[in-house]
């Protein structure tokens, strides 16, 4: 069957089960767009900025577990994908990005809207392709989806020169994938699993550190079985939240920089850490030399390059989290670890994680109310900053695959388009975007798309008129020298919403919080709540960057509300 | 200053555009130092073989190996530092020379079992193969005559014996770098 390159791309997308694409057209990718009309099964969502298309594909992928697809044109269209690709790369999210490129003969001549897209994106994609022969499209597309979704998932970019899209060639769709250089290890090494089980048997203070890999491999039941069989408490990293039920008796919460203090103390005392699908990020470990000084480490990860990268490992196990956890659970002996669990309870009492009490509108209160109103069962999307950490601390997730946040890259503005993508993936579920006023203003151009499609995302803007976490760093570590963190010119978000035809309300009073959440939930379509929260509130605990549990700041020094430093532009 | 620890790593990679850029980019991004790099076709069509000399300890080499494997185009990676291997580099050296000093240069070239591949009335081009130390030594001896140009290929390496390079992973035989040209001496 002879097809154009553009038709081939569409055929491949259909065969991969793609139903939604996020994108924005331009000259080089136009042949693809002109062909889309022939494929009614492919719904294209026209965005306002390619970065948002990338994050939407990311949110779509995280919520659905499927590969997200983003389309952009050459040059600026492609460079606008840099941030979302880097975000997806850091957080192991499967995305296929299709970018237009100038015609083959023009490549390298600095043609209009030409960029070396594969060169620019090489370090922020799992793999990328520049297709120079139309007949290669079926193989490349099949490989791209395979690479994106298997092993440690990640973004794959396919760069398509304009004339490769228009040229006709025989459509020869491969039955199988033959990548001799890419064969992820799925089964853990049996001997290593036995060694790990032996360490579990001998451990007196074992901990499980569960990361994003548990969710990606769908190892929820396997993780719970291991934890329950050997009575091992579970700490979930930022992206591991939701991998283990937050209300389970063995669930301890989050470790690291803004994790609950008892977790960092438990890690300090632990004699065995079973790390699953996590990568010992510096926000988890702090200073490596002081991290878990008494613990031997079993590291289970599908990416061999993560094992031994940051911390020394006693037993490395490369493999898929679900299979390895299942095999490990069969090997470990039942245990109670009663003394250790008691010790952790004492740690919790000594280092309580308390909800600050105040008559004023505290951001933590807002998040707890959203959690209560949604029974911990919404899909919750955040960007990066204080609002993100408070959500991680105070929203107790009862469902898997419901927590979508930019963890590794820490991308402000992620919360708006990623929430839109999640809502397209799961139309039957409630999606809340808990946004910072800073991040929201980076990407709120997507409100137009959200309004057009009546995407039922509920936005809670945690509005403190500032870049809160940066202000917190200045307060704690730069002598309260507040520079370039105040957003005194924020728009009226309610009027802004009105401009888009989106329902909105402002809340400044604690008493009005729940009503506003319920009203927003009742709206058939998108809704925005502008929560004018206490702006001096900080995220605690706070382990200074490069510090250890011994330098952890567990709470505010003394109430100093009157003693507010000057804000400098 | 303590001598820098180096390892010889060979990699079999897909012979595709951009593969060298990907590998070089990974090295620079992760802060690994390559002091030497050679690339050429392998015995299998479609695959190239690269030889790197990497500066760093065992941890660095482990990281380099793992991150090379992470690149989709990389098929196989071997740290062959611990194997009994033959290391070679080819260099072309252009030296100023005249009738007066030519015999002296020819003598040096003979000692190094190098060869003269081009002669003019005021210059010589010398071809030498051997490990880096041998090439370095010849360069230093020729420098006083007026070294006009140096071209070096970078190190390539192959295991001794009938096995293929990297096929005897884990052998603890010492690296046979100190016996230049041992096997060609009659």
């Amino acid at each position: 069957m002879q097809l154009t390159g553009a038709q081939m791309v569409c055929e491949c997308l259909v065969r991969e089960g793609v139903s939604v694409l996020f994108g924005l057209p331009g000259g080089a990718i136009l042949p693809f767009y002109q062909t889309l009309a022939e494929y009614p099964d492919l719904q294209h969502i026209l965005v306002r900025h390619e970065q948002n298309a990338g994050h939407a594909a990311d949110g779509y992928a995280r919520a659905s577990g499927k590969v997200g697809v983003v389309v952009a044109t050459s040059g600026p269209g492609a460079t606008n994908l840099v941030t979302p690709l880097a975000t997806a790369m850091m957080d192991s999210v499967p995305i296929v990005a299709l970018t237009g490129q100038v015609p083959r003969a023009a490549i390298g001549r600095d043609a209009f809207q030409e960029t070396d897209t594969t060169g620019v994106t090489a370090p922020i994609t799992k793999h990328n392709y520049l297709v120079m022969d139309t007949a290669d499209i079926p193989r490349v597309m099949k490989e791209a989806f395979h690479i994106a979704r298997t092993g440690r998932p990640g973004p794959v970019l396919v760069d398509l020169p304009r004339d490769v899209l228009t040229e006709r060639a025989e459509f020869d769709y491969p039955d199988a994938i033959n990548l001799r250089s890419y064969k992820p290890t799925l089964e853990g090494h049996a001997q290593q699993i036995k060694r790990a089980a032996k360490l579990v048997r001998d451990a007196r203070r074992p901990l499980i550190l569960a990361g994003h890999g548990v969710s990606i491999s769908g190892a929820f039941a396997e993780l719970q079985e291991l934890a329950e069989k050997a009575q091992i408490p579970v700490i979930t990293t930022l992206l591991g939240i939701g991998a283990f039920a937050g209300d389970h008796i063995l669930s301890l919460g989050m470790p690291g920089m803004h994790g609950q203090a008892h977790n960092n103390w438990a890690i300090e005392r632990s004699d065995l850490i079973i790390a699953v699908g996590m990568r010992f990020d510096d926000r988890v470990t702090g200073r490596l030399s002081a991290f878990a000084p008494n613990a031997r480490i079993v590291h289970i990860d599908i990416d061999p390059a993560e094992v031994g990268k940051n911390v020394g490992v006693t037993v490395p196990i490369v493999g898929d989290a679900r299979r390895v956890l299942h095999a490990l659970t069969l090997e470990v002996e039942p245990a109670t670890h009663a003394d250790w669990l008691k010790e952790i309870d004492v740690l919790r009492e000594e280092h309580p994680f308390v909800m600050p009490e105040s008559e004023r509108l505290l951001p933590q209160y807002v998040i707890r109310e959203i959690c209560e109103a949604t029974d911990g069962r919404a899909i919750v999307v955040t960007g990066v900053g204080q609002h993100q950490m408070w959500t991680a601390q105070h929203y107790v997730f009862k469902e898997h695959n419901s927590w979508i946040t930019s963890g590794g890259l820490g991308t402000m503005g992620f919360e708006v388009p990623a929430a839109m993508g999640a809502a397209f993936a799961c139309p039957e579920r409630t999606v809340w975007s808990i946004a910072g006023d800073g991040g929201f203003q980076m990407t709120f151009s997507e409100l137009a798309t959200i309004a057009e499609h009546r995407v039922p995302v509920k936005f809670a803007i945690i509005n403190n008129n500032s870049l809160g976490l940066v202000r917190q760093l200045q307060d704690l570590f730069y002598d309260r020298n507040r520079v370039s963190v105040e957003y005194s010119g924020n728009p009226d978000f309610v009027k802004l919403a009105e401009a888009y035809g989106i329902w909105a309300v402002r809340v400044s009073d604690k008493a009005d919080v729940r009503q506003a959440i319920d009203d927003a939930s009742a709206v058939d379509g998108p809704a925005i709540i502008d929560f004018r929260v206490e702006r001096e509130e900080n995220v605690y605990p706070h382990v200074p960057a490069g510090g250890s549990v011994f330098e952890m700041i567990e709470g505010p020094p003394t109430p100093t509300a009157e003693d507010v430093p000057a804000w400098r532009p | 200053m303590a001598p820098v620890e180096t390892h010889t790593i060979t990699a079999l990679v897909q012979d595709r555009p951009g593969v060298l850029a990907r590998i070089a980019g990974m090295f620079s991004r992760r802060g690994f130092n390559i002091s030497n790099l050679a690339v050429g076709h392998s015995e299998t069509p479609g695959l190239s073989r690269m030889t790197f000399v990497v500066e760093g300890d065992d941890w660095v080499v482990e990281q380099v190996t793992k991150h090379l494997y992470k690149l989709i185009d990389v098929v196989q990676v071997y740290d062959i530092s611990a194997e009994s291997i033959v290391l070679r580099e080819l260099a072309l050296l252009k030296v100023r020379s005249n009738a007066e000093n030519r015999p002296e240069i020819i003598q040096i070239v003979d000692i190094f079992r190098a060869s003269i591949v081009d002669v003019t009335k005021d210059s010589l081009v010398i071809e030498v193969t051997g490990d880096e130390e041998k090439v370095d030594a010849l360069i230093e001896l020729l420098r006083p005559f007026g070294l006009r140009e140096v071209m070096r290929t970078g190190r390539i390496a192959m295991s001794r014996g009938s096995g293929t390079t990297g096929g005897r992973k884990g052998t603890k035989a010492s690296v046979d770098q100190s016996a230049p040209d041992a096997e060609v001496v009659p």
Side-chain angles (χ1 to χ4, degrees):
Chain A
M1 179 171 46
Q2 287 268 323
L3 293 179
T4 66
Q7 287 171 322
M8 287 187 187
V9 173
C10 292
E11 287 285 342
C12 293
L13 290 174
V14 171
R15 279 159 211 242
E16 292 293 344
V18 174
S19 52
V20 180
L21 331 169
F22 301 92
L24 200 151
I29 194 71
L30 212 47
F32 170 76
Y33 276 86
Q34 301 316 108
T35 309
L36 262 182
E38 300 167 26
Y39 295 87
D41 290 345
L42 299 174
Q43 185 191 10
H44 179 267
I45 306 301
L46 174 63
V47 297
R48 294 302 189 272
H49 191 295
E50 291 90 348
Q51 182 191 345
N52 298 339
H55 291 316
D58 183 319
Y60 181 92
R62 294 196 210 203
S64 67
K66 296 196 282 187
V67 178
V69 181
V70 51
V71 190
T73 195
S74 63
T79 56
N80 278 343
L81 293 182
V82 165
T83 302
L85 288 173
T87 304
M89 184 71 177
M90 284 288 255
D91 289 351
S92 313
V93 180
I95 285 180
V96 168
L98 306 172
T99 48
Q101 183 54 276
V102 299
R104 282 168 290 186
I107 290 177
R109 313 268 175 125
D110 300 320
F112 176 65
Q113 291 194 330
E114 184 190 358
T115 300
D116 173 11
T117 303
T118 47
V120 168
T121 58
I124 50 168
T125 51
K126 186 172 173 185
H127 195 52
N128 63 23
Y129 296 88
L130 170 60
V131 184
M132 293 297 275
D133 186 344
T134 303
D136 285 343
I137 288 177
R139 175 186 59 81
V140 167
M141 290 292 288
K142 194 165 174 120
E143 286 179 10
F145 276 85
H146 175 70
I147 291 169
R149 73 160 76 92
T150 56
R152 178 180 180 177
V156 179
L157 181 139
V158 181
D159 202 23
L160 298 155
R162 192 180 201 292
D163 57 335
V164 168
L165 288 171
T166 52
E167 203 170 85
R168 298 181 82 83
E170 187 62 25
F171 180 70
D172 186 7
Y173 193 73
D175 298 324
I177 287 174
N178 184 21
L179 280 166
R180 66 177 288 189
S181 53
Y182 175 73
K183 294 198 168 61
T185 306
L186 300 177
E187 299 292 345
H189 194 282
Q191 215 53 45
Q192 296 292 77
I193 289 170
K194 283 205 169 68
R195 284 181 62 205
K198 198 165 164 293
L199 290 184
V200 173
R201 191 193 63 201
D202 297 342
R204 297 186 54 217
R205 296 183 172 89
L207 283 176
I208 294 172
L209 256 61
H212 197 196
V214 174
S215 301
I216 293 169
S217 84
F220 309 112
E222 288 77 6
L223 174 64
Q224 192 176 331
E225 276 165 32
L226 175 65
E228 287 175 354
K229 184 173 180 185
Q231 287 294 301
I232 307 173
V234 179
I235 293 176
T236 43
T237 68
L238 178 65
L239 289 183
I241 290 173
F244 192 72
D247 53 356
H248 193 286
I249 191 155
L250 288 169
S251 173
L252 296 189
M254 185 170 71
M257 184 175 272
H258 297 298
Q260 292 86 354
H262 62 259
N263 288 323
N264 290 334
W265 288 112
I267 289 170
E268 206 270 334
R269 294 192 186 180
S270 169
D271 63 357
L272 177 68
I273 287 174
I274 303 164
V276 195
M278 57 83 74
R279 58 190 176 84
F280 293 101
D281 177 77
D282 58 279
R283 258 44 184 173
V284 167
T285 63
R287 190 167 64 250
L288 284 169
S289 59
F291 176 75
N294 306 305
R296 288 193 279 189
I297 291 174
V298 174
H299 194 174
I300 302 165
D301 204 291
I302 200 162
D303 181 358
E306 287 302 342
V307 180
K309 186 182 77 177
N310 290 344
V311 302
V313 172
T314 314
V315 179
I317 307 176
V318 175
D320 173 61
R322 197 161 66 84
R323 300 188 194 203
V324 174
L325 285 174
H326 177 68
L328 183 57
T329 307
L330 293 178
E331 290 289 334
V332 299
E333 291 162 19
T336 58
H337 294 117
D339 292 345
W340 174 227
L341 294 176
K342 237 176 267 167
E343 195 177 332
I344 288 175
D345 282 341
V346 173
L347 285 174
R348 284 191 197 219
E349 281 164 32
E350 287 172 355
H351 307 277
F353 182 70
V354 286
M355 168 77 201
E357 284 298 325
S358 172
E359 287 309 304
R360 287 173 294 184
L361 180 56
L362 294 187
Q364 299 94 320
Y365 177 79
V366 172
I367 289 153
R368 289 213 171 185
E369 287 296 299
I370 293 173
C371 180
E372 211 178 289
T374 55
D375 191 27
R377 297 183 190 280
I379 291 178
V380 178
V381 186
T382 76
V384 65
Q386 287 184 322
H387 72 280
Q388 175 193 38
M389 289 299 118
W390 284 318
T391 309
Q393 291 174 341
H394 294 277
Y395 195 100
V396 182
F397 286 86
K398 294 183 183 168
E399 303 255 341
H400 305 308
N401 296 328
S402 299
W403 166 233
I404 298 176
T405 191
S406 172
L409 198 69
T411 306
M412 280 177 70
F414 177 80
E415 58 265 52
V416 180
M420 177 177 82
F424 272 105
C426 302
E428 75 291 351
R429 293 192 62 189
T430 306
V431 180
W432 275 87
S433 170
I434 298 180
D437 56 301
F440 187 80
Q441 289 180 80
M442 284 192 172
T443 49
F444 74 66
S445 54
E446 232 43 61
L447 290 179
T449 313
I450 287 166
E452 271 165 18
H453 296 273
R454 303 297 300 160
V455 185
V457 176
K458 316 299 177 186
F459 290 93
I461 304 175
I462 305 299
N463 185 357
N464 54 12
N465 284 93
S466 57
L467 298 166
L469 199 51
V470 186
R471 193 266 305 145
Q472 174 169 340
L473 293 171
Q474 292 176 346
D475 281 3
L476 291 178
F477 308 115
Y478 292 88
D479 292 331
R480 311 189 82 188
N481 182 23
R482 296 182 172 180
V483 184
S484 297
V485 288
E486 185 178 35
Y487 273 15
S488 54
N490 273 356
D492 180 329
F493 289 115
V494 175
K495 279 190 182 158
L496 183 81
E498 275 168 19
Y500 286 104
I502 294 175
W503 183 94
V505 68
R506 175 173 302 109
V507 175
S508 310
D509 201 326
K510 198 175 170 181
D512 302 332
V513 170
R514 184 56 190 263
Q515 188 61 50
I517 293 170
D518 290 341
D519 289 348
S521 303
V523 171
D524 180 24
I528 295 174
I529 311 175
D530 177 19
F531 287 107
R532 309 299 299 264
V533 298
E534 167 55 49
R535 70 191 310 210
E536 296 295 320
E537 193 60 23
N538 282 348
V539 179
Y540 291 107
H542 191 145
V543 179
S548 76
V549 65
F550 294 99
E551 289 106 61
M552 176 164 56
I553 305 163
E554 292 202 21
T558 43
T560 51
E562 294 74 35
D563 172 31
V564 176
W567 298 72
R568 297 186 196 140
Chain B
M1 204 177 81
V4 182
E5 196 180 329
T6 64
H7 289 258
T8 306
I9 291 178
T10 71
L12 207 54
V13 305
Q14 303 276 7
D15 184 8
R16 289 196 187 131
V19 69
L20 184 60
R22 278 179 215 279
I23 289 172
M26 185 280 287
F27 272 89
S28 77
R29 182 165 72 90
R30 302 249 174 216
F32 303 133
N33 284 324
I34 325 177
S35 58
N36 218 311
L37 169 67
V39 195
H41 293 297
S42 73
E43 67 283 358
T44 313
L47 293 181
S48 294
R49 184 167 269 112
M50 294 188 176
T51 311
F52 314 91
V53 179
V54 177
E55 294 176 2
D57 55 16
D58 289 346
W59 180 85
V60 170
V61 172
E62 188 192 320
Q63 289 295 307
V64 166
T65 308
K66 286 174 165 179
H67 281 105
L68 279 169
Y69 269 122
K70 207 167 160 170
L71 298 171
I72 307 289
D73 286 333
V74 174
V75 178
Q76 209 120 47
V77 185
Y78 298 109
D79 176 8
I80 56 171
S81 309
E83 287 191 35
S84 175
I85 50 177
V86 182
L87 297 174
R88 285 296 176 275
E89 180 176 337
L90 170 73
L92 294 172
L93 315 170
K94 187 174 283 180
V95 186
R96 281 205 177 84
S97 127
N98 49 39
E100 206 177 305
N101 63 17
R102 195 171 295 129
E104 195 186 338
I105 295 175
I106 290 171
Q107 220 174 13
I108 293 171
V109 166
D110 282 347
I111 293 168
F112 276 79
R113 284 185 295 273
S115 52
I116 291 164
V117 291
D118 182 67
V119 189
T120 66
K121 67 180 192 333
D122 57 0
S123 76
L124 290 170
V125 175
I126 296 156
E127 175 193 314
V128 59
T129 59
D131 63 19
E132 289 97 323
E133 283 166 24
K134 177 181 167 183
V135 176
D136 288 345
L138 180 58
I139 287 172
E140 286 319 307
L141 282 169
L142 294 175
R143 196 179 292 281
F145 297 98
L147 201 56
R148 297 214 57 206
E149 221 171 3
V150 174
M151 301 239 180
R152 302 176 71 153
T153 58
R155 182 195 290 186
I156 57 170
M158 187 173 278
S159 65
R160 295 175 187 274
S162 59
T164 53
T165 303
R168 286 179 294 158
K169 262 170 80 175
T171 49
K172 292 290 174 216
S174 64
V175 183
D176 192 6
Q177 297 186 59
S178 54
D181 289 357
E183 76 288 354
V184 295
V185 176

